Amino acid sequence: MFARFCIWLCVLPLLLVSASAHAVPSRGFDVLHYEVALVPDIAHKRVTGEQTVRFRAEHALRAVTLDSGALKVTAALQGDRALAFAQDEAKVHITLAEPLARGDTASVTIRYHGQPPYGLEFAPERDEVYTIFSTSQWMPSVDAPDERATLALSVTLPAGLLAAGTGRALPVRTLPDGRIEHRWQLETPMPGYVYGFTAGRYHEATQQHGATGLRFLSRERSPGQLQRVFTATGAMLDFFAARAGLPYRGDYQQALVARTIGQEMAGLSLMSERYGQQLLEDPAQTALMAHEAAHQWWGNRVTCAGWEHFWLNEGMANFMTAAYLQQAQGEAAYQAQVTIWRTRLDALRAKGVDHALVYADWSAPTGDDRAVVYQKGAYVLHLLRGEMGEAAFWRGIRAYTQANDGRSVVTADFQRAMETAAGRSLQPFFAQWVYGVG
Ligand SMILES: [Zn+2]
């Protein structure tokens, strides 16, 4: 079960980026903040939205371009002034009212609607709506993982639904027509692909784990069952915090939704109802939970700067999952994961499709390409652990994570931190296993 999950976990962003993600041209601006008001229509699988994006010009700027998926933009404004805009190839190009000089900030308001083909998932049979990765399918935004901004998110829904979103929950507002506006404030700048929410007719359970509030949601599981499904959450967060050298920040919510392969968002992870059932039947099947929890550090706080360094998110999350299992379930559980990775790598080699972990061509990633990032990536971290020894390896992981908290990283950042911890060059190892084919 874990093998299946770890092949497919979190792969959707790869489908959405251009082949030239390794050579992203300067956007010319830095997004500072998004303020989004969203009205999903669950029955008709539609969404209407209005958002204001605030940004700073990085050089003289006459226009901004945002990813906009399949959304139809109906208006762009600066204050009361209507702006010219055009949409093509899943982007919206907006001409500013006045050219900006380098360092100037401005805000643009965009009105839009659409029927997202993915990214915003509707399950009308459950009265449920939730996001999966492709944020620009429900709010015009920058998809690239090296763009971090704060977010104020509002989602207006019928009464009777519970919701969880990225950021600190603000009090809900009841509108005159009886609908409920759910609101969250994400005060730490984060990459857009970890923005999101889920809402449905959920049961709810909560726990307090030290300073961290835990909340679990599901339509199909009772509050008592939810406590059993997610019983290991606090221990997982403690384990990853110790390995990261960074305490968990804020509250952590996990929801079981209609269909997903597992997704990490900022302070919120989604898994499927089916996975919740599996955990009830076999409480040892915590790998997927652990993988998504590990992303709260490796992926969300320390984020690959471009998808060619995606192994820093996914290989790391898989490796950390195995390290957690090693502590929680024993050495055999860790070695079982290593065997899965090694077996997959052997299969890639036999098929002639193994390649470097740092891999630029993500225009149409195959299952084998994903296996390189997820499975071989984790295996290479296991090998590096052996190469460096326990103390130096974990010291390097802590230094790397602490130094890059809230930053976008490339593989050289990781290598540098590990070499400092090792007290020697690791270039031969990285040349062979990370930049070469091992
Ligand atoms: Zn993942």
Side-chain angles (χ1 to χ4, degrees):
M1 196 55 64
F2 177 79
R4 186 167 63 83
F5 278 129
C6 61
I7 291 170
W8 293 104
L9 280 172
C10 323
V11 297
L12 289 175
L14 304 181
L15 306 176
L16 311 175
V17 298
S18 75
S20 57
H22 60 293
V24 175
S26 166
R27 286 179 284 278
F29 61 95
D30 176 28
V31 177
L32 303 174
H33 183 67
Y34 298 102
E35 186 166 332
V36 183
L38 209 63
V39 185
D41 177 344
I42 296 174
H44 298 98
K45 301 187 176 184
R46 293 190 300 236
V47 66
T48 303
E50 177 172 318
Q51 80 157 7
T52 298
V53 53
R54 186 157 55 85
F55 53 91
R56 179 187 294 119
E58 291 179 332
H59 55 63
L61 197 66
R62 292 182 166 275
V64 292
T65 295
L66 298 173
D67 298 299
S68 58
L71 293 170
K72 167 81 176 155
V73 173
T74 56
L77 303 141
Q78 244 177 309
D80 293 335
R81 295 179 66 175
L83 304 178
F85 65 91
Q87 283 191 274
D88 62 38
E89 295 179 352
K91 293 182 185 299
V92 57
H93 312 278
I94 301 169
T95 303
L96 301 172
E98 312 282 350
L100 297 181
R102 182 170 180 271
D104 285 354
T105 61
S107 294
V108 168
T109 298
I110 302 166
R111 295 185 184 135
Y112 58 94
H113 62 77
Q115 291 182 284
Y118 50 81
L120 188 61
E121 298 288 324
F122 297 91
E125 72 282 4
R126 291 161 50 98
D127 253 350
E128 186 178 47
V129 57
Y130 52 95
T131 56
I132 293 191
F133 284 120
S134 307
T135 300
S136 60
Q137 291 287 348
W138 52 273
M139 56 174 274
S141 50
V142 175
D143 276 337
D146 64 345
E147 176 62 77
R148 305 176 93 90
T150 53
L151 170 73
L153 174 63
S154 145
V155 181
T156 296
L157 292 161
L161 306 190
L162 290 183
T166 46
R168 183 169 57 87
L170 303 177
V172 300
R173 291 176 177 142
T174 302
L175 303 184
D177 62 8
R179 292 179 302 160
I180 305 294
E181 183 188 10
H182 303 262
R183 299 179 299 150
W184 300 273
Q185 189 84 36
L186 184 60
E187 285 145 347
T188 304
M190 299 293 275
Y193 77 90
V194 301
Y195 298 169
F197 66 94
T198 185
R201 295 195 183 280
Y202 294 136
H203 302 123
E204 172 182 34
T206 60
Q207 282 180 16
Q208 189 66 33
H209 182 77
T212 306
L214 304 178
R215 184 175 182 230
F216 319 131
L217 298 168
S218 162
R219 168 117 186 190
E220 296 178 13
R221 304 272 74 86
S222 69
Q225 288 176 321
L226 281 169
Q227 295 285 8
R228 283 164 52 205
V229 166
F230 291 116
T231 187
T233 305
M236 279 175 191
L237 295 179
D238 288 348
F239 176 83
F240 296 132
R243 291 297 179 263
L246 293 171
Y248 185 78
R249 184 174 58 212
D251 295 333
Y252 186 52
Q253 305 182 84
Q254 293 167 105
L256 301 174
V257 301
R259 292 171 294 276
T260 181
I261 48 177
Q263 183 203 351
E264 76 282 11
M265 292 184 271
L268 168 64
S269 291
L270 303 188
M271 287 151 268
S272 68
E273 294 276 18
R274 186 158 169 261
Y275 177 63
Q277 178 65 37
Q278 288 165 358
L279 263 174
L280 270 188
E281 292 166 0
D282 180 0
Q285 298 297 320
T286 49
L288 178 61
M289 265 178 78
H291 179 105
E292 304 308 343
H295 274 315
Q296 296 298 320
W297 287 266
W298 301 283
N300 295 9
R301 289 170 72 160
V302 180
T303 311
C304 61
W307 301 120
E308 71 275 25
H309 300 284
F310 197 38
W311 80 281
L312 294 174
N313 287 18
E314 298 301 344
M316 188 71 87
N318 266 0
F319 172 79
M320 287 296 169
T321 295
Y324 165 74
L325 293 176
Q326 184 179 30
Q327 173 178 282
Q329 299 177 10
E331 182 64 22
Y334 177 77
Q335 292 299 337
Q337 298 303 315
V338 174
T339 299
I340 289 169
W341 303 332
R342 175 76 210 196
T343 303
R344 191 70 175 91
L345 175 57
D346 288 344
L348 290 168
R349 287 173 168 171
K351 200 174 165 186
V353 293
D354 182 26
H355 57 69
L357 291 183
V358 178
Y359 179 64
D361 184 12
W362 281 113
S363 55
T366 64
D368 291 332
D369 292 331
R370 294 177 191 121
V372 169
V373 164
Y374 282 75
Q375 314 249 37
K376 181 184 171 186
Y379 182 67
V380 168
L381 290 166
H382 164 72
L383 294 181
L384 183 60
R385 182 183 188 177
E387 170 84 17
M388 293 176 66
E390 282 295 283
F393 176 79
W394 290 112
R395 192 165 64 243
I397 293 286
R398 282 194 302 277
Y400 161 72
T401 311
Q402 290 170 337
N404 294 296
D405 187 17
R407 294 187 59 228
S408 299
V409 287
V410 297
T411 299
D413 296 310
F414 178 67
Q415 181 175 344
R416 193 177 312 117
M418 300 312 275
E419 287 181 337
T420 300
R424 62 186 168 93
S425 170
L426 295 168
Q427 183 56 29
F429 181 93
F430 275 76
Q432 179 182 357
W433 285 104
V434 176
Y435 296 102
V437 291

